[in-house]
Amino acid sequence: MNLRVLRYFLAIVEEGSITGAAEYLSISQPSLSRQIKDLEEHLGHKLFDRGSRTITLTPAGELLRDRAREIVLMADRTEAELTSMDKPINGNVYIGAGETEAVRFLTRAAECMLQQYPQVKFHIFSGNGQAVTDQLESGLLDFGLLFEPSDNTKYSYISLPTADRWGLLIRKDSTLASHNGIRQEDLEQIPLLLSRQVRFDREFSGWSSFSEHELHVVGTYNLLFNASLFVSEGCGYALCLDRIINLTEGSNLVFKPLVPELRTRVNLVWKSNRHFSSAASQYLEILRRQIGTENACKSTEARKTL
């Protein structure tokens, strides 16, 4: 295998046909077909099932598609990092995160960096904790945001000076909307939508005395915006983190915090043995300074209160 043929293969996957891919790549269709046939013979597996008008991937083709995307992306990243080593700081920073207000903390550091190094580009991958760690392990991300508790034994990490508050997303016409907060007994009586980004037994073990199986769970969600549409239409209540959905005056939804309060901290993690690009190294330095400044400000405010 070589990168050129892998790019050809991915072009066919994206275009859905050899003819379309040949036009996109500006090469002849017979030449493209021959190179894909050579690839199939080299791998010992058929990659496409060819129909009269369309082609579909075989199981071997699906595996190669996923691996080829990672290989090509890693090759492009490596080339970009090597060519920029002797230049002023530029290049790319890759960050993975779930839905959390803590991302705003990262964006402030990114804004500071872009003011100093406008040639830098940030690439954000959104996904749950497992998806983020998978991308970290494969080397496709520089940093990932993970909720506590998480296994940080194989990562370096810094704790962000912020925490997300758990609560319930509710329609304004619900009787629960008039409550100051949501208690354990409230959750036991309503249809719930739960996030797939967290394990209920781990996240809520210190807050509740019941298990997920004792709740009336009507669904799960990965992205809270989509879940909020279910809530808006009366299809349940979403157990979620605060400040992810923008609840304007025109919204028919309201957020009510859990009582007693339950907060989740977030860590920025990276592989301990990872060799950072100059852009990623500088971003981490800016983020460390920003965290130090914020912690110092909090200490000053605490002393003033005393």
Side-chain angles (χ1 to χ4, degrees), residues 8 23 33 45-46 49 83 85 88-89 93 114 120-122 153 158 182 205 219 226 228 232 238 244 261 281 302:
Y8 288 175
E23 293 177 356
S33 297
H45 289 281
K46 187 179 179 181
D49 285 324
T83 56
M85 284 186 65
I89 292 176
V93 180
L114 289 172
V120 171
K121 292 183 177 62
F122 286 86
T153 56
I158 50 178
I182 303 300
S205 60
N226 292 334
S228 73
S232 180
I244 296 176
E261 185 179 75
S281 295

Side-chain angles (χ1 to χ4, degrees), residues 166-170 174-176 179 181-194 200 203-205 207-218 236-240 255-260 262:
W166 280 98
L168 201 65
L169 197 61
I170 306 168
S174 168
T175 56
L176 289 177
H179 292 199
I182 303 300
R183 300 183 180 276
Q184 177 175 316
E185 54 268 26
D186 297 322
L187 296 183
E188 296 175 309
Q189 305 170 23
I190 58 175
L192 285 171
L193 296 163
L194 301 183
F200 187 91
E203 186 67 45
F204 295 88
S205 60
W207 184 84
S208 68
S209 59
F210 52 77
S211 69
E212 179 181 342
H213 302 293
E214 297 175 83
L215 298 171
H216 181 201
V217 179
V218 297
Y237 301 76
L239 190 61
C240 62
F255 177 89
K256 293 294 179 176
L258 298 184
V259 178
L262 177 64

Side-chain angles (χ1 to χ4, degrees), residues 15-282:
E15 295 297 324
S17 71
I18 292 180
T19 301
E23 293 177 356
Y24 171 75
L25 296 167
S26 299
I27 62 176
S28 70
Q29 182 176 333
S31 174
L32 180 57
S33 297
R34 184 173 61 255
Q35 293 188 69
I36 295 302
K37 183 179 179 181
D38 290 344
L39 177 62
E40 289 177 323
E41 292 178 353
H42 173 72
L43 296 175
H45 289 281
K46 187 179 179 181
L47 300 175
F48 295 104
D49 285 324
R50 295 164 175 82
S52 58
R53 294 186 177 180
T54 61
I55 60 174
T56 57
L57 288 169
T58 64
E62 291 177 348
L63 175 61
L64 181 60
R65 174 198 60 198
D66 296 341
R67 295 295 184 266
R69 285 172 175 168
E70 294 179 358
I71 292 169
V72 169
L73 178 58
M74 185 60 67
D76 289 344
R77 285 191 56 183
T78 302
E79 181 179 355
E81 290 173 4
L82 287 171
T83 56
S84 64
M85 284 186 65
D86 299 325
K87 299 178 181 178
I89 292 176
N90 58 33
N92 304 283
V93 180
Y94 296 83
I95 304 172
E99 290 183 302
T100 166
E101 177 70 12
V103 171
R104 194 178 298 278
F105 195 87
L106 301 184
T107 63
R108 293 200 293 267
E111 179 187 15
C112 178
M113 184 163 183
L114 289 172
Q115 290 177 354
Q116 301 178 54
Y117 310 104
Q119 300 303 316
V120 171
K121 292 183 177 62
F122 286 86
H123 304 274
I124 311 302
F125 168 80
S126 297
N128 60 23
Q130 185 60 57
V132 170
T133 53
D134 287 346
Q135 295 276 309
L136 279 170
E137 287 299 316
S138 64
L140 299 177
L141 293 176
D142 295 313
F143 307 102
L145 271 186
L146 297 180
F147 293 105
E148 292 185 352
S150 59
D151 181 11
N152 293 330
T153 56
K154 55 184 176 181
Y155 297 116
S156 298
Y157 71 95
I158 50 178
S159 296
L160 300 187
T162 182
D164 287 343
R165 182 172 61 164
W166 280 98
L168 201 65
L169 197 61
I170 306 168
R171 277 174 57 120
K172 287 182 178 178
D173 58 5
S174 168
T175 56
L176 289 177
S178 61
H179 292 199
N180 291 328
I182 303 300
R183 300 183 180 276
Q184 177 175 316
E185 54 268 26
D186 297 322
L187 296 183
E188 296 175 309
Q189 305 170 23
I190 58 175
L192 285 171
L193 296 163
L194 301 183
S195 170
R196 294 200 302 273
Q197 297 197 42
V198 297
R199 282 179 48 187
F200 187 91
D201 59 339
R202 183 173 58 187
E203 186 67 45
F204 295 88
S205 60
W207 184 84
S208 68
S209 59
F210 52 77
S211 69
E212 179 181 342
H213 302 293
E214 297 175 83
L215 298 171
H216 181 201
V217 179
V218 297
T220 63
Y221 65 88
N222 188 40
L223 297 175
L224 183 56
F225 175 77
N226 292 334
S228 73
L229 300 181
F230 274 69
V231 178
S232 180
E233 295 300 321
C235 296
Y237 301 76
L239 190 61
C240 62
L241 297 173
D242 194 7
R243 297 183 297 175
I244 296 176
I245 298 298
N246 186 14
L247 301 176
T248 61
E249 290 185 7
S251 173
N252 69 335
L253 302 178
V254 64
F255 177 89
K256 293 294 179 176
L258 298 184
V259 178
E261 185 179 75
L262 177 64
R263 288 182 177 268
T264 297
R265 299 193 64 84
V266 185
N267 295 326
L268 184 76
V269 308
W270 61 93
K271 292 183 71 173
S272 299
N273 60 350
R274 181 169 182 81
H275 182 78
F276 281 136
S277 65
S278 59
S281 295
Q282 187 63 28

Side-chain angles (χ1 to χ4, degrees), residues 48 118 219 291 295:
F48 295 104
I291 291 174
N295 287 336

